[in-house]
Amino acid sequence: MRPRQAVDDDRPASANYHTHALARGLSLLEMLAAGPQPLTLIDFHERTGLPKSTLVRLLSVLGEMQFVVRVDERPAFRLGHKVLSLSTAYVSALDLSVVAGPHLRELARASGQTANLGLLDGDQVLHVCVEEPDRPIRFTVQTGTRDSTHCTALGKMLLAGLDPEQVTAHVPAEPMPRRTDRTITSLAELRRELRRTAERGHAFDDNEGSVGLRCLAVPVHVDGEQIAAISVSGPSGEVQRDRHRTYLDQLHATASAMAADGDVVAALGMVYRSLMPPKGGLGSA
């Protein structure tokens, strides 16, 4: 038997009967959302310790409002369609650059370099959020701009998270455009670089996209799946190898904080699904 879950004691809005009932009803929805569905009246009773008569009243109201649906005579319940309308409204109101901005601003402040959040968009990287440090000499790029995948740290990190057979769909045809004398232009060499990137868990752009610019990038994982990457970009003279560990620690801390932020995860997932084809194609959320 699962341990009982408190449904109202820790909620600040449980001072009277109506808020008490609201808190309990919302908690029942949270239990259904946590799955697996459906849950029976006995399941709710065992998990909450609430009297069955109380649960029947709460579930009846939720059913009348179409937030839950009774599916059989045990009785058992699943989530209703009204939950989808709420979740759709929530996600559509999210602006990824707004919810991710505070995380990247802190990264830019701590590192002293430009912080970038990117997703794959075909054979390009889409910069969905950029925050620059407060200093006169800095790498400048605008939110919403795109860059190459084969010669940027963000691009190589995102490519390294793909299945090998998916890579060719996300890079230019050979010979890939040469931006500097360090740019990788062959698919075979790029695949070798992506294997090294995956093994060490971060990507490095050493003057490959622009002379005088170095970048480090790490993945952003949600539920074990890489859906984005973040990077710091700055002058080559500052992004030296003896400072990589500091930058990487800051990047990993930011990636973890973003993955733990529900608003960021929801907004990232929405943008990711809009960019990546469904399963059976190149991959999906």
Side-chain angles (χ1 to χ4, degrees), residues 154-178:
L154 280 176
K156 291 192 290 183
M157 191 71 257
L158 291 166
L159 293 174
L162 298 174
D163 291 333
E165 62 271 17
Q166 297 175 337
V167 170
T168 53
H170 293 284
V171 297
E174 294 182 278
M176 300 173 198
R178 182 179 295 280

Side-chain angles (χ1 to χ4, degrees), residues 208-220:
E208 297 165 44
S210 299
V211 175
L213 180 70
R214 283 177 172 156
C215 311
L216 286 164
V218 303
V220 177

Side-chain angles (χ1 to χ4, degrees), residues 7-223:
V7 295
D8 56 85
D9 292 344
D10 295 328
R11 297 180 184 272
S14 57
N16 57 55
Y17 172 80
H18 296 291
T19 53
H20 209 56
L22 176 61
R24 287 174 167 177
L26 291 173
S27 291
L28 299 185
L29 294 179
E30 289 175 348
M31 290 177 197
L32 284 171
Q37 293 191 59
L39 293 178
T40 67
L41 187 64
I42 298 298
D43 291 330
F44 285 120
H45 172 66
E46 291 177 346
R47 296 185 188 188
T48 67
L50 292 174
K52 293 179 184 177
S53 58
T54 299
L55 290 168
V56 167
R57 290 195 297 272
L58 292 171
L59 291 165
S60 295
V61 173
L62 291 171
E64 289 173 6
M65 299 183 69
Q66 300 179 324
F67 286 105
V68 302
V69 175
R70 179 172 170 170
V71 296
D72 58 35
E73 297 304 315
R74 289 179 285 176
F77 303 84
R78 63 170 173 80
L79 290 174
H81 73 89
K82 281 290 188 66
V83 174
L84 178 60
S85 64
L86 288 179
S87 63
T88 300
Y90 161 68
V91 172
S92 64
L94 290 177
D95 183 330
L96 180 53
S97 65
V98 172
V99 296
H103 297 284
L104 292 190
R105 278 195 292 276
E106 175 56 25
L107 175 59
R109 185 204 63 76
S111 66
Q113 309 297 349
T114 299
N116 315 277
L117 171 64
L119 286 85
L120 272 179
D121 185 13
D123 63 355
Q124 298 178 318
V125 177
L126 173 62
H127 290 262
V128 292
C129 186
V130 178
E131 293 290 340
E132 298 179 7
D134 184 16
R135 50 178 288 189
I137 300 176
R138 61 186 184 272
F139 171 62
T140 299
V141 64
Q142 299 296 316
T143 295
T145 58
R146 290 169 169 78
D147 206 343
S148 302
T149 53
H150 69 291
C151 60
T152 60
L154 280 176
K156 291 192 290 183
M157 191 71 257
L158 291 166
L159 293 174
L162 298 174
D163 291 333
E165 62 271 17
Q166 297 175 337
V167 170
T168 53
H170 293 284
V171 297
E174 294 182 278
M176 300 173 198
R178 182 179 295 280
R179 302 252 294 259
T180 75
D181 60 3
R182 291 178 177 267
T183 303
I184 294 173
T185 60
S186 75
L187 183 59
E189 184 181 358
L190 179 61
R191 287 190 183 279
R192 288 192 291 271
E193 172 67 6
L194 297 182
R195 285 194 292 270
R196 290 190 291 267
T197 297
E199 288 170 2
R200 68 191 178 212
H202 70 267
F204 181 40
D205 163 13
D206 186 4
N207 293 271
E208 297 165 44
S210 299
V211 175
L213 180 70
R214 283 177 172 156
C215 311
L216 286 164
V218 303
V220 177
H221 288 101
V222 175
D223 295 330

